Each structure stands twice: as structure tokens, then as C-alpha cells.
Amino acid sequence: MLTQIQTFAQLHFIPSPSPSPSQPPTPLRRRIFLFSAHRRLPLRHHHNMFSISSPALRITDCISSRVNDKIGSVGGEAMGEEKENASKQVRRAYPFHEIEPKWQWYWENNKTFRTPDAIDTSKPKFYVLDMFPYPSGAGLHVGHPLGYTATDILARLKRMQGFNVLHPMGWDAFGLPAEQYAIETGTHPKITTISNINRFRTQLKSLGFSYDWDREISTTEPEYYKWTQWIFLQLLKRGLAYRAEVPVNWCPALGTVLANEEVIDGVSERGGHPVIRKPMRQWMLKITAYADRLLEDLDDLDWPESVKEMQRNWIGRSEGAELEFCVVDTNGLQRDNKITVYTTRPDTIFGATYLVVAPEHVLLSSIVSDAQRKQVEEYKEIASRKSDLERTELQKEKTGVFTGCYARNAANGKDIPIWVADYVLGSYGTGAIMAVPAHDTRDHEFALKYSIPICGVVTPDNGNFSYFEKAYSGEGKMINSSSSVSGLDINGLSSKEAALRVIEWLEKTQNGMKKVNYKLRDWLFARQRYWGEPIPVIFVDDTGEGIPIPEVELPLTLPELDEFTPTVTGEPPLSKALSWVKTVDPVSGKPARRETNTMPQWAGSCWYYLRFMDPKNSKELVGREKETYWSPVDVYVGGAEHAVLHLLYARFWHKVLYDIGVVSTKEPFKCVINQGIILGEVQYMAYRDPDGYLVSADSVDVTIEYGQERIAEENVMKSGDSFVLKDNPNIRLITRAHKMSKSRGNVINPDDVVLEYGADSLRLYEMFMGPFRDSKTWSTSGIEGVHRFLARVWRLIVGSPSPDGKFKDGTVNLDGEPSMEQLQCLHRCIDKVTEEIEGTRFNTGISAMMEFVNAAYKWDKLPKSVIETFVLLLSPYAPHMAEELWSRLGHPTSLAYESFPKVNPAYIKESTVVLPVQINGKTRGTIQVEEACTEEDAFRLASLDSKLSKFLAGKNIKKRIYVPGKILNVILDAQNVKVGQR
């Protein structure tokens, strides 16, 4: 049958029985049809057509070689001939396979979660957003829904609390992966992107997320990237976009520039191809112009402090000085060249014993001696293959080559050698440093390796220091820091005083100046790729002048290309679209060429949060009224891997848009939350020695090479804090869990989980695994536990199944007025669940609901009002079950906009107090009493207390002093008081 597939498969929804417009089908059945070139063919198995009710069977599965396995795994859900399949019915803890498709159908057809275009300004707003996903062909794994479930719980809570909620979803779909897949398979990236988006959307809908799908956007749609191009033109107008020749990470195999984060150990992250550093003329965005604002405005944000600190470090503002060193040759003759260095420690100028220039320094070729030129060129070639991250890694061994030239230190008149070393970056500061090995760890390591002098000039306040053993990088008092040649004397000054004195001297003698520097570099904004936003600039043929295309001509759309491989010349793939590249200057009419570089993937994800506010607006990026109402994003959730660059770039663009009046806030995201990652299941590993015998992990000899083998979980037991073999507890095992990846084979497909346990169980489990921000380890037994909890909720309200496994319609008998105990239990649950959702402590909110259910099973009667309230509490976490229970409780519409329960403080107020009891003014113990306890009752309870009774038994009471809720003081008759012993 699969060999007959010519083009594609389509999924049809076949409701059974036929519903009325207001009544969703129960259950919703899905029928899969495969299309041949001539006619529609139903997918058959044993000649019977399947109508599959599970939401987890995806059309992409049908196209794979696993289709028959997937169909077979459905088991009792397959419904062909009823008699034949009757024996295959699976007994389920509760009928999630019927409930979940039914309510997903209801939400979609009723547009339950659509945010109206017209804004009701009388209601407060809540804008909750997930970081833009990249839709890959692999689809979701169970790590993805962690953040999505959290934002969905928040969105559902806020809707029920009366907020206007904006909870959208879209796709960051341009980029290298789709282009590389196109090159490998010959499939146009647009086709694979649409296919991947469809798969992601289907999976997300199967998990019941309350997204407003009417606002869905993709960065690849011209209607969207029209405005990305428009933003670029605004940057260009303000001098914030420019072209420059800069050193880049160039991957010849991929034919494109790569960001530092896309290069690992000198090879491309995708494909493992060699990457070199070479200068190229590229588009740059002047993010450095906003460095101070990006730094200062962090203080007002409700972000994790760790994220703010990472951004501060990335911006890297520092105060110091720029110094000029004259280049001299081997004969001590001064040359015309001057090398400018930047330092944050101008106080250590007398300790500079050599200079270091970066391999890409512009003066390197002109200052290197003929004797050293070959070594220097070879070193530059090696350095060009390393990324900036590799070169600056603190642990790596420092390498370098002497240039054969020297520089004169104006502070003392000494000539010091100039070296080239890759631990200095051409993109930071001036691309050169004065090396002070006595007071910098990297310089110290380098000096020891190459036998360069070390001169200590700062002594710590607590005594002497051995500068040859290690560097002292702290502050102190200056030594060895005076010269009659320059007239500069800073001996005896503190480091801070000396730094100020040196800067004064530099500016007076014109050897340097005070300088503020940043680690932040301008944003490299060009890629040699096809699958990206075209840059809306043309270049006039005879002058080479770059001219922005008129805004009325936007969007500048991508031309169709059949071949996407990199060119041998390094020209971008777009250069192959000759008819598209050739154009004319709209002003002069002269021949011109379009820019053939495209924007990086970061571009479309910098501003998508704004487009969600007004996605259908064809006249402007976002309407003023909608932006003013919805800005800023209230909660933004995503992985910590985007803590720096994505958030920094988005903040930069937002500030530019603020300056030109497009947005009304200085910052885009009020609160950022980073969820933890989900690791694969724990693996239990045993050591085996060369003779084949198992060895306990605590007895491993580091001099012996052991083999490792995985032990099945059923053969493992816990012993204290360790895990051991069941059959041999003397063999201690090692445990480990890895981040989910296809290469490790530990990826859990959410489709499979939904098929076996249901979407609500997956949602609940991911929230119950542990604190939301922490990393967690997947456990199949853990999801079984929350699945059993949901089954208990179902049986509590619906009742137990009949012998054939079916559940009745409706609910159990729910009547009677709630007792005080029930109200107290319920309101404790309301209080805890509400507080924990708002604090994103979802796991403890679930624990509170579990405690409620445990208590409810002990009640003789279940009041309907109590059960209805609990169902509303459950709904943000397990929306499918909650909707079904709400319907069975007699409500004709969705609970999505029902008022979320509010706690009544009277029911959670403690009715008892701990009362201190004194005997003759000395506290002897405490008793627990009701707040309204009388004096007599308090004294009676004290008399019955085992600790207090020995002081009161048989004694004459002179008087009692009782302050309700505060204290009971019993004064004994003096004759009963022992004052000593005979």
C-alpha cells in the first residue's frame, strides 16, 4: 500500500455520530486517507478500514516505514468490524482517548481561545509568550512542552481571573537547517518548512494548548518579513546599519558565515565542517550605540539575576585607558607605527614587559620582521581555524610567536617585545594588549612558557608576594613604578590613586587617554544563504553605491531557486538568480544589482512579539492602540540558551523602535523565565574488568581500562544513597542522565506518551517532575503516577467502570451542603493552587490537589459545589478532563471563562492557637486550644497535659491569670511552693 503513495497524505476528521454545530462529536474519530496519483485510497489493515480515535497518530507517521507498527499499537482503538475488534478493547484508567479529541475539536470549532481584535480596555491584560520555536522535521520531543505547558497554565488562570489574555504561537522558520536539508534532498526549503510547521502545529494542538491560532505567524511569509525589511531600512536611515570588512567565521563546505555559537572546536555545529577566520565585507548593525542603555535598563527588569548578569558580562562595560606604544626595530630605531592598547589597569604600566597583538591586527603585516614573517604567517593560518570562544578559553594552553619587533613603553623608556597570540581578539578593544605577567593570569602563563621577564608593580596590603609562582591580580600599593625618563612616579600610591595619576600623565603627554570600553561588538548581520530574508538594498553598477529600495516596494521576496549549493567563489546562492539580481536604480534608472546576502535567522525573531499584537495589519508593523495596550510582554518563557543573544538583539531592536515612535515601552519583556531542561531517563551502568568480571563502582582502579554496560532498571535496586544490582548488592552502579538527543537515542516522542497516557497526563507530569526552573530527569514510572492520580479524580466524580471497562455517563450522586471540614479542605486547596500557579511553582500546586483528592475519598458525601470548584482548580493543568467533568456536572459551555475560585480567608484561618502556660510566672509548657477557649477549659487542658500536670496535681491554686489566646498563668499557694530541700 505504501508503495502507491505518489504525493502526500491528508488527515480527515470524521465525527461520529454527526454532531450539531453546538455539540462536539463524542468520540472524535480520525480517518486517514492516502492519496495516489489517480484516486483517494483509504489506509487499510487486514482489509478493514480503521477509524482512529487517538490524537497521537500523526500523518507523518503514516508516511514513515513505521506506519504498520503505529497502527498495530493502537490496539483496541482500531474500530473496523466491531465483533472482530471487541476482544482488542483496552481497559483504560479513564477514557482520555475519547475526551481529548472531543474537546480539542470543541475549542477549535468554537474558537474558544481567540483573542478579539477589538480591545476591551476596561479589563486588565495578560500577554504570555513562548520563545519562538524552530519547526524541525524531527517534531517535538517531551522537552518542548515543558515551557509550553507552563505558559498555558498561566494563560488559562488569567482568563478565568477576568484578564484579556494574549497567548499566541508562531514559527521562527528561516535558517540553515532547512537550507541544508534542501541541499541534501533537492527539496525546496519552503516545502520542508511548511511540512515541519504542520507537524509541530498538529502536535501542539494534540496537547490542548490554548493558543489563539488565528494569530499564527511565520518568519518565512512575505507578509511578515516585509516588516523585518522595513525595520532594517529604519536602521539604515539612522546609520545603525552599515557595511564593513570584518573577520568572520567562514565555513567553505556550508558556503556561509557562522556565528560564534555555531562553531564548536573549530568545526561547524551542523555537519562538523572546518571553519576558518577570514575578512569579508559584511552588513553590520551598530548595537554598540545602545550599549549603555542596554546595560542600565536591566536593573528595572523582573528577570533571573543570572540572565541579567550574563547580559552585563556580554556587554562588558569597563573603564580604563588607551595607551600608545611606538614601534621600534631591532636596532632601537623608532618607526612611524604606533600600537594602541586598552587596559583596565593603567596603574600597572610599569609592569608591562611585552605587547601582544591579535593574529588579525591590521598592523601585524607591517611590523613583523623578515626573519619572523614565515612563522607569523603560519601562526595566523592556524588561528584562523579557531572560533573566538576557543581562543579565549581560560583552560587552553597559550600559544604565540615573536614578531621580531619591539615597542617603547613611554612610562619608563624601555623597549619590550611584540608578540602575536590568539588569546587576544581583534574584535575586542584595540586588538592589542600590554601584557603585565605579574598581575594577569593569562599573561603570566604566557611569560613563563616563553621566558619573558616578570616585574611586580603592585604589592598586596597583607605582605610580600611571589610573582614568579603566580600572578597577583588584586589591588594594593604601587612598587617599582617610577622613572626619571618620563617623570612619572606612582610609588606608594594605592592602585586606584595610581590609575588616576597615570591617566592624567597620559593625557598631558599625549600618550593616551581615559577610555570606556565594551566587550560587545557590532552585530554581524549577513549570511551567505538562500533561506533567509532578502536585504532590501541595491548597488549601482558604475559607482557601487548602496541604495535602499523604496518602502512601497516591500516586501522584496525571495526568488525561486532550484539549486541551493554554495558557490565555489563564496558568492551567496542568491547570486545564481540572475534575473532577480539584475535591476535598476529607481531614481537614476542606471543598472544595478541586488544585495545577495540574506539576513541571519535572528532577524525575524527579534520583533515577532509585536506582530502577534496585530498580525493582519498590512499598513504598519503594529497599530498604536494595540501596541500601547498589550506592551510589554508580561511573561516570556524559554530556554536559558537564549539568555544573551536573542534577548539582547530583541532589546536592541525594541529600543530603536521606541526611539522612532513605533513602540511605547523601553523594554519588550517585563518578566523572563527560563525553564529547566528535561534529561533522558536515568541509565544504570556497571563496570566490567578486562577479564569480564563485574566491578563495583567504588572499587574501580583508575589504572585499569574497564568496559561499561547498561543494566535494565528491573535488575536494579536502591541501597542507601546508591544503586546496586539486585542479584549482587555488592556491585554498586553508576547512574547518569543525558540531555535528550537523536544521537543518544534517548528522545521521548510526546505522540507516544499521549497515545498511551493522554495529553493531560503528559502536561501534569511535566509540571510535577520538580521545580519549573530546574533540570529534571524523565521517568516512565513518574508519568504512570500522575496518570493514576487523574484516574482517581475521574472515579471520584464519575464512578468506577463497569466490568467491560466502560464508564457511565454523568457523575456519581453529588448532593448535600458542604461541611466546615470540607470547606476548609477546599479553600486550603484554592489558596495553595492559586499561589503556586502565580509563583510558577506548578509541582507544589499539583501536590495540593492530590491532598484534596485524598481527603475527598474519605468523605461520606460529595457536595456538588465543592466538586465543581475543584474541577475549576484542575482545569489549567488538565483542561480536557476538567472540561468533560464540567460538562457532566450540567454546564452547557466551556469552563475556559468561568471565574477561577477565590479563597475565603475565614476557611483557612487557623482556629486553634498555641497557648503558653506559666506556673508562678515561669513558662513550663504549652497547650493547643481553640481561639474562643474559656479559662476553665484552658486550665482543664493544662491539668491533663502530661508535662504540666506534675506541677499542678495536688496543689492549692491561689489564682489564675488568663489572657485569651495569649497566656495562662497559674499562681500556686505559697505553702505548696518548694523553696529548698531538707
Side-chain angles (χ1 to χ4, degrees), residues 91-332:
R91 291 181 63 89
R92 300 187 182 277
Y94 72 96
F96 62 84
H97 62 301
E98 299 176 357
I99 295 169
E100 292 177 355
K102 167 185 173 181
W103 287 102
Q104 289 163 23
W105 181 93
Y106 177 94
W107 295 328
E108 184 159 354
N109 282 271
N110 289 278
K111 296 188 179 296
T112 303
F113 307 115
R114 183 177 180 276
T115 304
D117 291 327
I119 298 172
D120 180 0
T121 56
S122 67
K123 297 172 67 175
K125 66 94 178 179
F126 184 71
Y127 184 2
V128 57
L129 184 64
D130 299 294
M131 287 190 182
F132 233 12
Y134 183 86
S136 70
L140 298 174
H141 63 64
V142 292
H144 292 105
L146 181 66
Y148 304 157
T149 304
T151 59
D152 194 59
I153 291 171
L154 290 169
R156 288 176 179 274
L157 170 71
K158 292 299 182 180
R159 280 193 203 94
M160 298 173 77
Q161 289 180 333
F163 285 73
N164 283 330
V165 172
L166 182 57
H167 185 37
M169 176 51 71
W171 319 105
D172 185 17
F174 272 133
L176 188 58
E179 183 160 327
Q180 282 304 110
Y181 185 79
I183 293 171
E184 293 164 7
T185 64
T187 308
H188 196 285
K190 183 175 183 179
I191 295 174
T192 55
T193 297
I194 291 173
S195 174
N196 295 343
I197 287 174
N198 289 339
R199 174 163 169 75
F200 263 60
R201 187 191 305 108
T202 302
Q203 288 184 295
L204 291 175
K205 286 185 176 182
S206 79
L207 295 172
F209 297 133
S210 60
Y211 294 124
D212 178 0
W213 288 106
D214 284 358
R215 292 176 183 259
E216 179 184 3
I217 57 178
S218 168
T219 56
T220 62
E221 295 300 324
E223 295 80 9
Y224 179 84
Y225 68 71
K226 165 186 178 179
W227 298 106
T228 309
Q229 293 171 335
W230 181 87
I231 295 172
F232 178 84
L233 293 180
Q234 311 317 304
L235 293 164
L236 194 60
K237 287 179 186 177
R238 286 155 182 79
L240 296 171
Y242 64 96
R243 295 177 81 219
E245 189 167 281
V246 293
V248 297
N249 299 315
W250 173 254
C251 179
L254 297 177
T256 188
V257 169
L258 298 176
N260 285 331
E261 295 69 32
E262 296 171 316
V263 182
I264 300 174
D265 297 330
V267 299
S268 61
E269 182 181 28
R270 183 173 181 84
H273 304 294
V275 176
I276 61 173
R277 296 281 288 180
K278 75 171 188 176
M280 290 183 68
R281 195 159 185 80
Q282 299 285 290
W283 281 102
M284 309 289 293
L285 297 188
K286 203 169 185 180
I287 189 173
T288 51
Y290 283 73
D292 283 327
R293 288 168 63 182
L294 289 168
L295 198 59
E296 292 162 5
D297 292 345
L298 282 171
D299 295 336
D300 299 326
L301 297 177
D302 181 16
W303 290 18
E305 192 56 39
S306 60
V307 172
K308 293 199 282 188
E309 193 59 29
M310 280 191 281
Q311 292 219 353
R312 292 187 186 105
N313 292 337
W314 191 268
I315 296 168
R317 186 183 191 277
S318 61
E319 294 185 2
E322 275 189 355
L323 296 76
E324 287 188 340
F325 287 77
C326 292
V327 178
V328 296
D329 60 23
T330 53
N331 297 317

